[in-house]
Amino acid sequence: VDVDKCLSNPCPALATCNNTHGSYFCQCPLGYELEKGKCNLVRIFIGQVPLKVNITHGKYTELLHIEGEILAMLDASLSGLPGYHHSTVKATREANVVHVSVQSTFSLASNVTFYDVVSSVKSYIRACKSPTEACQFISSLKPLHRVGSLCKQKDPECDKETSECTDFDGVALCQCKSGYFKYNKMDHSCR
């Protein structure tokens, strides 16, 4: 009989417990990463791009191959930046468009900016010398990362009356509206 291990609350604060057969795993919310038994704040850069059907043929018909190719490109272009942890890629097919979503994670202390991430990806794409098909495929990924997409994915539930979500280089914070202030940088509401 499978006993729900999550009932004993084994996960750290902020994390969600997911019961699996015979075990469990803890998952931190977007913008946090499980490190040394707790959910730590990280810089996370989110990107989404639709790929047209004319570049998802040949060896790019398989979603797994598309994901692998994009992950390799992100690792190669971002690993030179300070504090780079990893990226994740998810591709889904809808009619004749493949939607690609990526998340690139950096340590909070890295001070990597949105501009650094975009520049690294674009210069990697510009330097492409692989066979034409591969370069054509990755050049379609130029508009991958977009400013403000973190707030769209992970609104830290800012108090809508006194503040609004702002994406500060990979960290979603609640920014006070004019005439309001907050005691703590991480507060979700202002006074």
Side-chain angles (χ1 to χ4, degrees), residues 62-72 89-92 137:
E62 292 290 312
L63 291 181
L64 244 87
H65 193 88
I66 290 172
E67 289 173 353
E69 198 82 4
I70 295 170
L71 190 59
V89 180
K90 187 83 192 113
T92 54
F137 175 74

Side-chain angles (χ1 to χ4, degrees), residues 44-45 146-151 165-173:
I44 192 156
F45 297 89
R146 287 192 181 85
V147 160
S149 49
L150 184 58
C151 283
C165 181
T166 311
D167 183 348
F168 279 110
D169 288 320
V171 180
L173 294 174

Side-chain angles (χ1 to χ4, degrees), residues 4-35:
D4 188 345
K5 307 268 184 318
C6 290
L7 294 174
S8 66
N9 246 356
C11 292
L14 297 175
T16 310
C17 184
N18 298 290
N19 189 51
T20 59
H21 196 72
S23 189
Y24 69 93
F25 67 94
C26 302
Q27 193 171 11
C28 294
L30 184 63
Y32 291 84
E33 197 164 67
L34 194 60
E35 294 171 317

Side-chain angles (χ1 to χ4, degrees), residues 32-44:
Y32 291 84
E33 197 164 67
L34 194 60
E35 294 171 317
K36 295 179 186 135
K38 59 186 209 189
C39 291
N40 290 319
L41 194 60
V42 288
R43 289 187 188 281
I44 192 156

Side-chain angles (χ1 to χ4, degrees), residues 17 19 47 50 71 89 106 108 112 121 126 129 131 166 177 188:
C17 184
N19 189 51
L71 190 59
V89 180
F106 291 81
L108 188 62
V112 164
V121 169
R126 272 196 304 274
K129 287 177 178 52
T166 311
K177 289 181 178 175
H188 291 191

Side-chain angles (χ1 to χ4, degrees), residues 86-99:
H86 58 86
S87 291
T88 58
V89 180
K90 187 83 192 113
T92 54
R93 195 180 296 278
E94 191 182 292
N96 51 3
V97 177
V98 171
H99 294 281

Side-chain angles (χ1 to χ4, degrees), residues 25-191:
F25 67 94
C26 302
Q27 193 171 11
C28 294
L30 184 63
Y32 291 84
E33 197 164 67
L34 194 60
E35 294 171 317
K36 295 179 186 135
K38 59 186 209 189
C39 291
N40 290 319
L41 194 60
V42 288
R43 289 187 188 281
I44 192 156
F45 297 89
I46 291 180
Q48 289 173 315
V49 71
L51 297 176
K52 292 179 187 67
V53 80
N54 67 341
I55 44 174
T56 58
H57 60 81
K59 67 175 187 172
Y60 300 108
T61 48
E62 292 290 312
L63 291 181
L64 244 87
H65 193 88
I66 290 172
E67 289 173 353
E69 198 82 4
I70 295 170
L71 190 59
M73 184 271 287
L74 286 169
D75 283 342
S77 61
L78 300 177
S79 58
L81 293 174
Y84 177 65
H85 286 196
H86 58 86
S87 291
T88 58
V89 180
K90 187 83 192 113
T92 54
R93 195 180 296 278
E94 191 182 292
N96 51 3
V97 177
V98 171
H99 294 281
V100 174
S101 302
V102 303
Q103 292 177 9
S104 300
T105 306
F106 291 81
S107 70
L108 188 62
S110 70
N111 290 334
V112 164
T113 66
F114 178 78
Y115 178 79
D116 297 334
V117 171
V118 171
S119 302
S120 294
V121 169
K122 284 187 177 166
S123 45
Y124 181 85
I125 291 171
R126 272 196 304 274
C128 187
K129 287 177 178 52
S130 309
T132 346
E133 189 187 17
C135 289
Q136 189 185 352
F137 175 74
I138 69 163
S139 75
S140 63
L141 302 167
K142 273 188 197 138
L144 195 55
H145 295 91
R146 287 192 181 85
V147 160
S149 49
L150 184 58
C151 283
K152 285 187 191 78
Q153 294 265 326
K154 171 215 181 222
D155 187 343
E157 280 150 43
C158 300
D159 172 31
K160 302 272 185 273
E161 283 180 34
T162 63
S163 68
E164 57 190 357
C165 181
T166 311
D167 183 348
F168 279 110
D169 288 320
V171 180
L173 294 174
C174 300
Q175 188 78 358
C176 292
K177 289 181 178 175
S178 180
Y180 290 91
F181 74 97
K182 56 184 171 180
Y183 289 118
N184 183 333
K185 189 177 163 185
M186 300 310 286
D187 285 350
H188 291 191
S189 66
C190 303
R191 297 161 189 267

